[in-house]
Amino acid sequence: MVFKVTVSSARRATRTMWLLVLVSLPVCISVCRASSPQEDSAMENIVTEKKAEESHRQDSADLLIFILLLTLTILTIWLFKHRRFRFLHETGLAMIYGLIVGVILRYGIHVPRDVSNITMDCHVNASPATLLVNVSGKFYEYTLKGEISGNEVNDVQDNEMLRKVTFDPEVFFNILLPPIIFHAGYSLKRRHFFRNMGSILAYAFLGTVISCFIIGLLMYGCVMLMKQVGQLNGDFFFTDCLFFGAIVSATDPVTVLAIFNELQVDADLYALLFGESVLNDAVAVVLTSSIVAYQPEGDNSHTFEVMAMLKSFGIFLGVFSGSFALGVATGVVTALISFFFGLDFQLLETALFFLMSWSTFLLAEACGFTGVVAVLFCGITQAHYTYNNLSPESQDRTKQLFELLNFLAENFIFSYMGLTLFTFQNHVFSPMFIIGAFIAIFLGRAANIYPLSFLLNLGRRNKIRSNFQHMMMFAGLRGAMTFALSIRDTATYARQMMFSTTLLVVFFTVWICGGGTTQMLSCQHIRVGVDSDQDNSLSLAEGSERRSTKQESAWLFRIWYNFDHNYLKPILTHSGPPLTATLPPCCGPLARFLTSPQAFENEGQLKDDDSDLILRDGDISLTYGDITVSTDASGSHTSGGPAFAGAATSDDLDRELAYGDNELVMRGTRLVLPMDDSEPPFTESHHRMRM
């Protein structure tokens, strides 16, 4: 093998801040050369400095290409939003611009060959990361850039431009992915998420595993067929097929969700899609790690062995649970820091919030866990606890900061996808493998959505309708996570074929499925223009549906909510009821010590988006004007007040709960529920209640 290396002097600046040079297996090569005069040495130093300066300019030009791509994408998006053009999302547009620039770099720009480049044979058993070359007593460091095929040896200089715009895959994991994943957790609409939590967990965990194995089995059959007809030019094992199934099972319906948000599509459908995409990215990352860790005993590392499979399953559970615990712990630590030191300096608050959030990802990766899972649950924890401790200015800053970082990182990745289709040097396109991949992905998605939806509907009051299922099937786009997982390792023939196929899958799903979202919504007769905050209220006219709200949310969540609301929030935040109201009287001194002064000040007003999901009949009394309405465990209502005339039906009370300017008292804590300004006209029975 021949490797392309570049000379870097001691004075040459590091090209990228994230490059970690591992000096291993140094090989010293002595080059016989006549001694040069001191003048020649000085001239050589000048030439080296000029080359370093030229390299710096080239690197700046490469980064400028991506900046211009993002700028052009933003300007075009601006135009699309003014024209209300929804057939192409910003991510698909970024990919198109990346393709155009990739074609120009590949076929339109040719760098003249440098005659000073020398190709030497270095026969070693392994490819060292760094070579030290002794040239007339001076040591030069050669850094490995990658393998070059034999037919490209004479065109190394022409391909130098393409290599410079090819980033280290770790850049995507350590720099670009964290803000995308954190923003997903930080912006999660918890009310609708927890109302559908059981279904989301089923789709994300069980559905992703089903999809992975269905795709893996089908692709293994495709690979065996390719081997029989002689279209397979390298090794492709069953574990490779499972790995491919894991990376393409990570959905990223960013295009669909953006259209959903703009059109205000049904909140439950949005929550199901968004929750599944957020969690199944994390599951897919851990699945890939478990598949890579599969190692049977013996010489053949690709045979099936029960103990090796159980070990991989244990690694899956260990990595996921460890990453989850690390992310939650970091979020709690940040909440405690902001609890004791916040509210004074907004800039420092925002900076600390940002650094603690990003460090969660790096800490998890350094500890051998998965940063994607850790930073996701860190974002959810930060939104639940730390956000309440920030000043209003810092709350706005953090939301806008991560929204901006998410937008730039996501569009950068999609631009790079288009660019990589032409700049990546080791593409392996196989028509049979590509066709088989599309069929397997379609069947894997169908095996995920339809059987699980049928089983989930057996226990759901609010059924997942068939048009919702078809929309979820259609909206299974692949995006940034699939690309990042596939580009992380392209060393073997199988991984190179996976990467090339994955690019085409992402292009197709983003352009075709993403572009056809509006038409699919119309075809499936899915309602749009629904305000998610009023979505529950609209169903109250059906009467009994409002009284069953407590049963729609997961029972486990209701138990957790009571514990969190009464004990954790008062300790970790300035919101929630004071501990003096929730702990026994004997714990009064401890309760007063742990409760912040702000909690006592906010005792009369609690802000919580999830409170309407866990109302339990035995604990509720409703105060409306001079009327007090209570419910008992059986669901019956009792009312009283000096001006109450006539008996109110349960529907009347439900409507009052939905639309009135009311206060809710639960377990001694007064909850003021914000209501929408648009009040529907009251019926005659409502007027009688208010007279």
Side-chain angles (χ1 to χ4, degrees):
M1 293 187 294
V2 180
F3 296 92
K4 174 71 171 63
V5 293
T6 57
V7 180
S8 60
S9 65
R11 301 177 62 181
R12 180 177 177 180
T14 305
R15 191 162 66 96
T16 53
M17 62 180 296
W18 51 77
L19 180 61
L20 177 64
V21 179
L22 298 176
V23 181
S24 60
L25 300 177
V27 181
C28 297
I29 304 175
S30 300
V31 180
C32 298
R33 181 181 175 184
S35 59
S36 303
Q38 187 175 0
E39 293 80 4
D40 293 343
S41 179
M43 183 63 66
E44 185 177 350
N45 289 336
I46 295 175
V47 172
T48 302
E49 291 177 358
K50 288 184 177 180
K51 289 184 177 180
E53 184 178 356
E54 291 176 1
S55 179
H56 171 72
R57 291 179 179 177
Q58 183 64 52
D59 294 340
S60 300
D62 296 337
L63 291 177
L64 180 62
I65 290 175
F66 290 101
I67 298 299
L68 293 178
L69 274 175
L70 290 177
T71 304
L72 186 60
T73 302
I74 292 173
L75 292 176
T76 312
I77 294 170
W78 209 324
L79 178 63
F80 281 8
K81 287 188 178 294
H82 277 288
R83 301 289 183 180
R84 298 186 179 275
F85 185 80
R86 298 192 182 99
F87 292 99
L88 186 63
H89 188 251
E90 58 211 38
T91 53
L93 184 66
M95 293 168 65
I96 292 177
Y97 286 144
L99 284 171
I100 295 173
V101 174
V103 170
I104 295 174
L105 292 178
R106 183 64 181 265
Y107 302 107
I109 298 179
H110 296 281
V111 180
R113 184 174 302 174
D114 189 352
V115 295
S116 63
N117 281 352
I118 301 175
T119 301
M120 298 182 297
D121 292 332
C122 183
H123 300 283
V124 292
N125 295 328
S127 55
T130 302
L131 295 178
L132 297 180
V133 179
N134 185 353
V135 180
S136 301
K138 292 185 177 181
F139 288 89
Y140 294 89
E141 178 184 344
Y142 287 72
T143 304
L144 177 67
K145 284 195 171 181
E147 182 179 358
I148 299 175
S149 60
N151 56 355
E152 294 180 350
V153 172
N154 296 328
D155 298 325
V156 168
Q157 187 66 23
D158 291 338
N159 296 330
E160 183 68 20
M161 181 70 172
L162 303 181
R163 285 192 177 83
K164 281 186 175 292
V165 296
T166 303
F167 287 96
D168 190 326
E170 293 303 313
V171 173
F172 293 98
F173 265 80
N174 296 333
I175 304 297
L176 298 177
L177 273 185
I180 296 176
I181 303 300
F182 182 87
H183 179 262
Y186 194 57
S187 61
L188 186 69
K189 293 183 178 180
R190 289 171 293 140
R191 183 176 63 179
H192 299 290
F193 176 83
F194 286 117
R195 189 170 67 183
N196 297 277
M197 183 170 64
S199 302
I200 291 173
L201 291 177
Y203 288 127
F205 284 86
L206 187 58
T208 304
V209 173
I210 292 174
S211 176
C212 170
F213 279 90
I214 292 293
I215 295 174
L217 289 171
L218 293 176
M219 293 311 300
Y220 186 67
C222 179
V223 167
M224 291 296 99
L225 180 60
M226 292 173 60
K227 189 175 182 180
Q228 292 295 326
V229 298
Q231 292 193 13
L232 196 66
N233 299 323
D235 293 331
F236 211 119
F237 302 102
F238 179 64
T239 52
D240 295 322
C241 296
L242 284 181
F243 183 86
F244 179 73
I247 64 177
V248 297
S249 294
T251 60
D252 185 18
V254 57
T255 304
V256 176
L257 292 175
I259 296 176
F260 278 13
N261 189 51
E262 184 177 354
L263 297 179
Q264 292 184 324
V265 177
D266 186 278
D268 286 332
L269 177 59
Y270 184 94
L272 288 172
L273 266 178
F274 182 74
E276 181 211 3
S277 66
V278 167
L279 290 180
N280 89 333
D281 282 353
V283 175
V285 173
V286 183
L287 265 179
T288 57
S289 302
S290 304
I291 293 171
V292 171
Y294 177 80
Q295 187 66 41
E297 297 180 358
D299 297 334
N300 191 353
S301 61
H302 298 281
T303 58
F304 177 77
E305 188 176 291
V306 176
M307 291 303 300
M309 185 188 69
L310 293 177
K311 181 181 178 181
S312 295
F313 182 72
I315 292 174
F316 174 85
L317 295 179
V319 170
F320 194 94
S321 58
S323 303
F324 168 80
L326 184 61
V328 172
T330 309
V332 170
V333 170
T334 310
L336 289 174
I337 294 175
S338 61
F339 180 82
F340 290 107
F341 302 104
L343 302 178
D344 292 329
F345 304 100
Q346 289 77 26
L347 180 61
L348 299 182
E349 272 187 325
T350 307
L352 179 65
F353 188 94
F354 173 79
L355 294 176
M356 290 294 291
S357 304
W358 204 307
S359 64
T360 304
F361 183 92
L362 302 177
L363 178 62
E365 292 290 334
C367 294
F369 297 119
T370 300
V372 171
V373 179
V375 78
L376 170 64
F377 287 99
C378 176
I380 296 175
T381 307
Q382 301 274 45
H384 192 60
Y385 296 116
T386 312
Y387 183 82
N388 294 319
N389 295 336
L390 301 177
S391 62
E393 294 82 1
S394 297
Q395 289 177 350
D396 293 336
R397 283 183 179 181
T398 54
K399 291 173 66 175
Q400 294 171 1
L401 173 63
F402 280 101
E403 186 177 4
L404 173 64
L405 292 176
N406 171 72
F407 174 81
L408 293 178
E410 204 161 54
N411 282 278
F412 183 92
I413 290 179
F414 279 94
S415 298
Y416 187 73
M417 287 185 199
L419 195 71
T420 306
L421 187 62
F422 292 97
T423 59
F424 185 69
Q425 299 295 300
N426 299 312
H427 275 306
V428 178
F429 292 104
S430 172
M432 184 176 292
F433 188 85
I434 293 171
I435 295 173
F438 275 97
I439 296 174
I441 290 171
F442 177 83
L443 295 177
R445 182 67 178 172
N448 175 358
I449 298 299
Y450 295 114
L452 286 181
S453 298
F454 173 77
L455 295 177
L456 290 170
N457 281 337
L458 297 178
R460 282 178 61 103
R461 283 183 171 270
N462 185 19
K463 306 297 183 184
I464 304 175
R465 301 191 298 271
S466 59
N467 57 347
F468 279 19
Q469 297 176 34
H470 299 329
M471 192 68 222
M472 293 179 67
M473 173 72 189
F474 182 81
L477 280 66
R478 273 62 178 178
M481 181 58 67
T482 299
F483 174 76
L485 288 173
S486 62
I487 199 176
R488 199 172 191 181
D489 182 7
T490 56
T492 64
Y493 170 82
R495 298 297 174 88
Q496 291 168 3
M497 184 183 293
M498 292 182 207
F499 174 67
S500 303
T501 305
T502 299
L503 278 179
L504 299 182
V505 170
V506 174
F507 291 162
F508 178 86
T509 56
V510 170
W511 287 338
I512 305 301
C513 298
T517 301
T518 306
Q519 290 76 13
M520 188 67 177
L521 287 172
S522 176
C523 177
Q524 295 299 321
H525 304 289
I526 296 175
R527 58 177 182 165
V528 298
V530 180
D531 188 350
S532 61
D533 293 331
Q534 297 181 2
D535 190 32
N536 286 341
S537 304
L538 293 176
S539 64
L540 300 185
E542 300 177 8
S544 61
E545 190 168 341
R546 178 66 181 100
R547 294 188 296 276
S548 64
T549 302
K550 66 184 184 65
Q551 300 176 4
E552 293 178 3
S553 55
W555 63 271
L556 182 61
F557 170 67
R558 294 199 302 271
I559 296 174
W560 158 254
Y561 178 87
N562 288 328
F563 177 76
D564 174 66
H565 168 76
N566 292 326
Y567 304 110
L568 291 184
K569 270 202 168 183
I571 295 176
L572 298 176
T573 71
H574 300 296
S575 64
L579 288 175
T580 53
T582 57
L583 288 178
C586 61
C587 302
L590 179 63
R592 286 190 293 272
F593 174 76
L594 294 177
T595 304
S596 68
Q598 289 86 350
F600 288 105
E601 296 174 3
N602 300 332
E603 182 177 359
Q605 183 173 2
L606 174 65
K607 300 177 181 178
D608 199 320
D609 294 336
D610 302 330
S611 59
D612 62 332
L613 293 185
I614 47 75
L615 305 183
R616 299 199 295 181
D617 287 342
D619 302 325
I620 301 175
S621 64
L622 173 67
T623 302
Y624 185 86
D626 295 329
I627 303 169
T628 300
V629 181
S630 301
T631 59
D632 55 23
S634 63
S636 61
H637 303 273
T638 61
S639 305
F644 185 81
T649 65
S650 60
D651 291 344
D652 295 332
L653 297 175
D654 289 334
R655 195 174 291 273
E656 292 292 345
L657 179 62
Y659 297 113
D661 296 325
N662 54 73
E663 295 180 349
L664 186 70
V665 179
M666 183 170 68
R667 291 193 176 182
T669 303
R670 183 177 299 272
L671 308 180
V672 178
L673 302 183
M675 295 300 165
D676 193 83
D677 295 334
S678 58
E679 253 184 44
F682 290 115
T683 61
E684 183 179 353
S685 60
H686 291 85
H687 287 292
R688 288 199 303 268
M689 288 182 63
R690 305 186 66 170
M691 292 177 58

